[in-house]
Amino acid sequence: MNQSYYNGFNSRKRKQEYKTDLPVMITPEVKEPGSILSSLSAYIFKPWHGFVILFFCMVSSSIAFGVDDNAKSSIAEVLWRWMPLLLKGFIFNIVISICAMAIGTAAGAALGLGQISLNKWVRRVSWFITQFFRNSPWLVLLFFAMFLLPFEINIGGLAIPLPDWVKAIIGLSLPVMANVSEIVRGAVVSLPSGQWEAAESLAYTRRQTLWLIILPQCVKRMLPPWMNLYAILTMATVLASIVGVSEVMTLTGQALAAEGGRTDLLAPFYSFVLLIFFMYCYPIARWTVRLEKKFSVIG
Amino acid sequence: MNWDDSMPMVSIKDVHKAFGDLEVLKGVSMDIKKGEVVCIIGPSGSGKSTLIRCINALNDIQQGSILVEGQEVNDPNLDKLELRKKVGMVFQQYNLFPHKTALENVMMAPIRVLKQSKAEVEKTARALIKKVRLEGKEDSYPGELSGGQQQRVAIARSLAMNPDVMLFDEVTAALDPETVNEVLQTIKDLAEEGMTCILVTHEMNFAREVADHIYFTDRGVIVEHGSPTNFFDEAKDPRTKEFLSQIL
Amino acid sequence: MESFFEWFKLLYDNTGINLPFLYDSYDRDRMWNGFLMTIKLSVVALFFSIIIGIIGAWLQNSPLKWTRRIVNGYIQIFRNTPPLVQLYFFYFAIGALLPKVSNGYGGEVPILGGFAWAAISLSFFAGAFNVEIFRSGMEAVPKSTTEAAEALGFSRLQIYKDITLPLAFRVVLPALNNNLVNLVKTTTLAYAIAVPEMLYESNQIWSDNVNVTEMMIFLLLAYFFLVGILVWGMNRWERSLKIPGFGT
């Protein structure tokens, strides 16, 4: 074999690769970065989303025409009347979700760092807590917080009341904490070990390495799963209705009862609740996918 | 359909092929006789790979005719199974089935496609593995084999269908330099046994040594062809000369 | 066995730790049935969610634009709205539209009960995730591999059955298992429509015995072990299916 030939054609050498990373959602087309407004508009509505809303309206109105009789006010009218209250309820859901996310993220970050601690026992205990709360259903954890937290706590003679919605926030922050812990651990572990070695060879301490080198790089990797978790949490806030917190689902039930349990109102009201959650969570999901895609390109 | 040994085994006439607006074959013709070893060489993007992929109908053609043992390939009612029994193909990227062992890779097609009995197939498969010098690797998965070993399994897999013609599409291009020879030796053995072979290759020394006939393609046409001696030592066309001067 | 149960009665008498689902045969049956109901709901929903996933992934490849859009619309609605509201929508809104049937005692009952609606709702919810999982699995099988099978004369169905599905299955298994774990956890939502699964039965028991703390801790441990065992088993399964060199 002529050696010079290989030099010429070695660049052709390729290794077979299988792509196994599962795209979590449909990958949106990549757009040129533009102004905030124009890039935001990409997440809001696309033509086929009209179809989705149309679908809701069709379901609702077909039921309306089928059952409506002239003695009752029309479905649209009833829905319109209750809409402000339901939207206020939904804002309460958002408040719960933001609070639970904040608490869960703070606790989860600590727990996640515990999972990569050099101390064997800190690592094991953090791992166990993480797995324990990750394996538990959200609803069970919510019950857990509801029933086992006292209605008020005494700190040095000062009684701080714990209303149901605060308990709900704590209950929901437990699974968030466990998931954030896994996100932190996963991001740190996924970083190439060369980063640790390079920092060590430059005489950084472990603490410095972690805070100056590792964690800043992890933030980018953690952002998409963290946002995904937030969307899941937001959708889980309706669970609070089961334990009696006056959020949108509870108010929907009360509105339906106040209208005298008309069955023709069920579909429109539930559709409306689905729709407001969709309009809040879907843009988050799209945005998450975009970030994922962007970061995977940058690396 | 009245085909006999004296006629060309593969007869290509005025084949045109385009991908969208990009015309990759602009009227290619060649005849390959039984037992002949033909090498197609040429710069990247000259349509060599497309041409041999057309021979076993992995790509269709827009115009012209390809006869394999008298069977017309450019025919909407083509019996692809019948064609592929006659034509074996080995790919640049080996393309072994990653979830099957080496032996299973060789055995799968005769059992599934030709419906031969398992015991019989296993006997021939083991013989073929031996023939490509991979004894002891029967139960290895493709992921556990080197590139050269995988490529030899791929050759054995193709031979298990007992084809009359073998197509080799740049089969050493993805290999590490040290494993190229083992694959070329396997092909050489086959050629010496009288297998009709059509190779797209960049291995000039191999082409000179093994080929009966060499075709040089550039931009979708055959620029020049002839016996290895004529081709390498007395090339006439300036494009051929330039290509040879670059790689030899 | 009876003395084992008796011990918990003694535990209650001596320490006040009340675990009636161990010493009381009535509560024991309730708890056991709740556990079985959780398993049953998970298995039924798993089965139908996989069917939905396969059909959805197939429809997503449809040449018809609107078929693809409807499938995408389905996926996005079910992934971006609360599963509990989905369940209410199915159970109350759609359930109210369906005709009622006689229950044999002169009364009328809905044609579909809580269990059926929970199963339907959870199937659609988990199915929306499965569509994406299956589609990405199909895409992970390299075209060159299926092409090699084509060159060996495999029919389209054979390629699908012998090459694409086995490879895609290995690729999707981790995501599928993850979805299964989520599904098992989501079965607790059936509590909201009074399907007697584990959470619901626990609630019944703590209402009767006023032992919320014990029941709560038991329930958390029960789910921890149930899901833990599931995760462990699935990981083992994934490892046993692992092929060297494929899908690291």
Side-chain angles (χ1 to χ4, degrees):
Chain A
M1 283 299 115
N2 181 341
Q3 203 52 43
S4 68
Y5 149 70
Y6 293 121
N7 299 337
F9 287 92
N10 253 2
S11 61
R12 303 180 59 84
K13 190 179 118 185
R14 259 169 272 152
K15 287 256 150 65
Q16 194 167 10
E17 275 175 22
Y18 294 101
K19 193 170 172 296
T20 54
D21 279 343
L22 298 171
V24 178
M25 274 180 207
I26 302 158
T27 44
E29 66 267 51
V30 183
K31 292 213 173 75
E32 288 299 309
S35 73
I36 295 170
L37 252 180
S38 75
S39 64
L40 263 182
S41 69
Y43 316 124
I44 299 176
F45 281 108
K46 296 206 159 192
W48 69 266
H49 303 155
F51 164 78
V52 171
I53 292 164
L54 196 72
F55 176 76
F56 277 120
C57 296
M58 263 161 49
V59 170
S60 317
S61 60
S62 64
I63 298 156
F65 288 119
V67 195
D68 201 17
D69 61 56
N70 43 21
K72 300 167 185 165
S73 42
S74 81
I75 286 169
E77 216 178 308
V78 177
L79 193 58
W80 183 250
R81 202 161 62 231
W82 288 101
M83 203 178 276
L85 183 72
L86 297 187
L87 286 175
K88 263 183 223 158
F90 181 68
I91 289 169
F92 193 40
N93 286 65
I94 305 295
V95 170
I96 293 176
S97 72
I98 290 170
C99 294
M101 197 68 193
I103 298 172
T105 302
L111 200 58
L113 291 179
Q115 282 203 81
I116 52 168
S117 161
L118 286 180
N119 183 310
K120 193 170 74 180
W121 286 104
V122 173
R123 216 162 52 225
R124 285 192 183 162
V125 170
S126 308
W127 176 84
F128 181 80
I129 296 174
T130 303
Q131 294 307 318
F132 186 80
F133 287 110
R134 244 164 64 94
N135 282 6
S136 305
W138 293 55
L139 184 56
V140 176
L141 289 173
L142 195 59
F143 270 108
F144 180 75
M146 279 295 158
F147 290 118
L148 298 188
L149 290 175
F151 67 95
E152 59 175 30
I153 39 177
N154 276 298
I155 301 173
L158 180 72
I160 303 166
L162 280 182
D164 276 355
W165 63 274
V166 174
K167 289 189 197 173
I169 288 172
I170 295 169
L172 289 170
S173 66
L174 293 174
V176 172
M177 172 188 75
N179 283 290
V180 169
S181 169
E182 265 315 271
I183 291 170
V184 170
R185 193 192 65 92
V188 172
V189 169
S190 74
L191 220 60
S193 61
Q195 292 291 318
W196 286 94
E197 284 160 13
E200 209 180 325
S201 72
L202 291 169
Y204 284 85
T205 64
R206 185 178 162 86
R207 185 181 291 267
Q208 284 172 325
T209 310
L210 196 59
W211 287 97
L212 298 176
I213 317 287
I214 305 297
L215 291 180
Q217 294 185 63
C218 288
V219 169
K220 240 168 46 176
R221 290 161 191 256
M222 292 188 295
L223 198 55
W226 185 80
M227 282 169 53
N228 192 28
L229 181 63
Y230 175 68
I232 293 170
L233 167 66
T234 306
M235 292 187 274
T237 53
V238 289
L239 299 180
S241 68
I242 297 178
V243 291
V245 176
S246 297
E247 49 67 73
V248 65
M249 204 62 238
T250 314
L251 294 175
T252 306
Q254 287 169 359
L256 287 166
E259 288 296 326
R262 280 166 57 181
T263 50
D264 58 325
L265 289 177
L266 290 166
F269 269 74
Y270 288 127
S271 300
F272 178 72
V273 178
L274 287 172
L275 185 66
I276 46 179
F277 273 100
F278 184 81
M279 293 191 18
Y280 187 74
C281 294
Y282 181 67
I284 297 176
R286 297 282 295 201
W287 194 18
T288 308
V289 174
R290 266 177 81 101
L291 280 183
E292 245 166 21
K293 206 167 166 112
K294 197 172 122 198
F295 292 156
S296 74
V297 173
I298 300 166
Chain B
M1 282 295 172
N2 299 321
W3 180 82
D4 65 68
D5 274 6
S6 62
M7 294 160 76
M9 185 151 243
V10 179
S11 176
I12 299 170
K13 280 199 182 65
D14 192 32
V15 164
H16 289 257
K17 164 76 185 168
F19 294 102
D21 290 338
L22 182 71
E23 206 177 4
V24 276
L25 298 176
K26 303 170 189 165
V28 173
S29 303
M30 61 173 73
D31 282 340
I32 295 114
K33 291 195 280 290
K34 188 178 192 307
E36 208 174 18
V37 177
V38 167
C39 285
I40 304 170
I41 62 174
S44 304
S46 63
K48 333 179 275 295
S49 287
T50 308
L51 178 64
I52 73 165
R53 289 165 61 87
C54 289
I55 296 174
N56 77 341
L58 281 180
N59 290 347
D60 55 353
I61 57 175
Q62 270 97 30
Q63 194 189 321
S65 145
I66 298 175
L67 292 173
V68 178
E69 295 186 0
Q71 187 186 13
E72 176 58 64
V73 176
N74 188 16
D75 172 1
N77 301 318
L78 170 71
D79 182 352
K80 286 191 179 174
L81 177 57
E82 199 50 43
L83 174 71
R84 282 161 182 168
K85 279 189 208 165
K86 290 185 287 209
V87 184
M89 180 153 186
V90 185
F91 299 84
Q92 181 180 340
Q93 294 289 352
Y94 347 123
N95 297 347
L96 292 179
F97 306 132
H99 58 311
K100 301 281 175 186
T101 63
L103 186 66
E104 286 167 343
N105 260 283
V106 179
M107 288 170 63
M108 218 169 149
I111 293 174
R112 292 303 176 105
V113 179
L114 303 179
K115 316 279 181 204
Q116 292 170 354
S117 81
K118 197 175 168 227
E120 199 181 312
V121 172
E122 186 168 339
K123 227 167 79 187
T124 37
R126 285 190 186 278
L128 282 169
I129 297 253
K130 193 176 167 190
K131 186 187 166 97
V132 296
R133 301 189 184 89
L134 282 174
E135 271 175 303
K137 298 285 184 191
E138 287 88 348
D139 297 324
S140 301
Y141 283 94
E144 297 168 316
L145 299 174
S146 74
Q149 290 171 332
Q150 288 192 56
Q151 195 59 291
R152 283 182 284 154
V153 175
I155 293 172
R157 178 176 72 173
S158 222
L159 290 174
M161 295 289 283
N162 201 16
D164 298 332
V165 190
M166 286 285 283
L167 309 176
F168 296 91
D169 185 6
E170 301 196 36
V171 291
T172 55
L175 295 178
D176 291 327
E178 63 271 21
T179 62
V180 168
N181 269 327
E182 59 193 44
V183 173
L184 293 182
Q185 187 58 47
T186 309
I187 300 173
K188 205 169 147 191
D189 292 347
L190 270 180
E192 277 163 10
E193 283 168 25
M195 174 64 80
T196 312
C197 297
I198 305 175
L199 298 101
V200 168
T201 184
H202 289 285
E203 304 282 349
M204 294 306 146
N205 287 328
F206 177 76
R208 184 196 282 260
E209 195 182 333
V210 176
D212 297 311
H213 210 89
I214 291 179
Y215 288 85
F216 175 73
T217 59
D218 190 19
R219 294 183 208 123
V221 293
I222 293 173
V223 178
E224 196 163 359
H225 66 99
S227 70
T229 330
N230 285 338
F231 181 81
F232 284 108
D233 303 333
E234 297 154 31
K236 294 170 201 79
D237 193 281
R239 276 184 284 178
T240 321
K241 281 182 189 161
E242 196 200 332
F243 178 75
L244 290 176
S245 73
Q246 274 170 8
I247 63 163
L248 285 177
Chain C
M1 202 65 189
E2 209 46 49
S3 62
F4 172 75
F5 294 138
E6 276 310 305
W7 188 84
F8 286 98
K9 180 82 183 138
L10 281 173
L11 183 78
Y12 177 41
D13 293 340
N14 293 323
T15 65
I17 296 173
N18 190 2
L19 300 169
F21 55 90
L22 284 172
Y23 63 75
D24 183 281
S25 70
Y26 178 67
D27 283 345
R28 196 157 60 220
D29 285 349
R30 285 211 283 202
M31 202 64 230
W32 179 244
N33 288 334
F35 173 73
L36 291 183
M37 182 59 91
T38 291
I39 302 289
K40 196 170 128 192
L41 193 54
S42 303
V43 170
V44 172
L46 173 71
F47 177 77
F48 286 105
S49 71
I50 287 177
I51 304 267
I52 290 170
I54 290 171
I55 294 172
W58 179 66
L59 287 177
Q60 260 192 340
N61 282 327
S62 159
L64 299 172
K65 199 164 64 183
W66 276 98
T67 309
R68 292 198 304 269
R69 282 186 181 166
I70 290 169
V71 175
N72 284 342
Y74 154 68
I75 294 170
Q76 298 304 345
I77 290 173
F78 277 83
R79 292 180 69 138
N80 292 300
T81 55
L84 179 66
V85 187
Q86 292 167 18
L87 179 65
Y88 284 157
F89 187 85
F90 276 107
Y91 182 69
F92 292 116
I94 300 182
L97 296 176
L98 294 182
K100 292 188 183 326
V101 290
S102 162
N103 64 1
Y105 303 103
E108 282 200 321
V109 290
I111 197 162
L112 290 175
F115 177 80
W117 281 119
I120 290 170
S121 173
L122 289 172
S123 301
F124 276 107
F125 174 66
F129 289 82
N130 284 348
V131 174
E132 289 287 288
I133 291 172
F134 287 138
R135 193 190 54 125
S136 57
M138 304 282 191
E139 281 171 4
V141 178
K143 190 169 176 290
S144 55
T145 305
T146 53
E147 206 168 54
E150 206 185 329
L152 286 167
F154 283 69
S155 68
R156 276 182 61 122
L157 191 68
Q158 279 171 332
I159 292 175
Y160 195 69
K161 199 169 98 285
D162 293 339
I163 313 294
T164 310
L165 279 187
L167 288 176
F169 183 68
R170 286 173 167 85
V171 174
V172 303
L173 198 59
L176 208 56
N177 288 341
N178 197 23
N179 197 19
L180 170 63
V181 168
N182 273 330
L183 179 65
V184 172
K185 290 197 272 179
T186 315
T187 55
T188 48
L189 297 190
Y191 166 90
I193 57 167
V195 175
E197 45 70 71
M198 248 191 334
L199 178 59
Y200 185 86
E201 293 291 17
S202 302
N203 188 334
Q204 299 282 306
I205 295 172
W206 82 54
S207 303
D208 292 352
N209 296 281
V210 201
N211 60 341
V212 182
T213 313
E214 290 95 324
M215 289 312 296
M216 229 41 256
I217 289 168
F218 166 74
L219 204 53
L220 279 174
L221 287 174
Y223 276 106
F224 176 70
F225 282 110
L226 179 62
V227 174
I229 289 168
L230 202 62
V231 170
W232 179 80
M234 291 301 172
N235 281 343
R236 272 189 66 116
W237 191 24
E238 279 168 32
R239 241 174 292 142
S240 73
L241 279 180
K242 212 165 161 48
I243 328 157
F246 180 73
T248 39

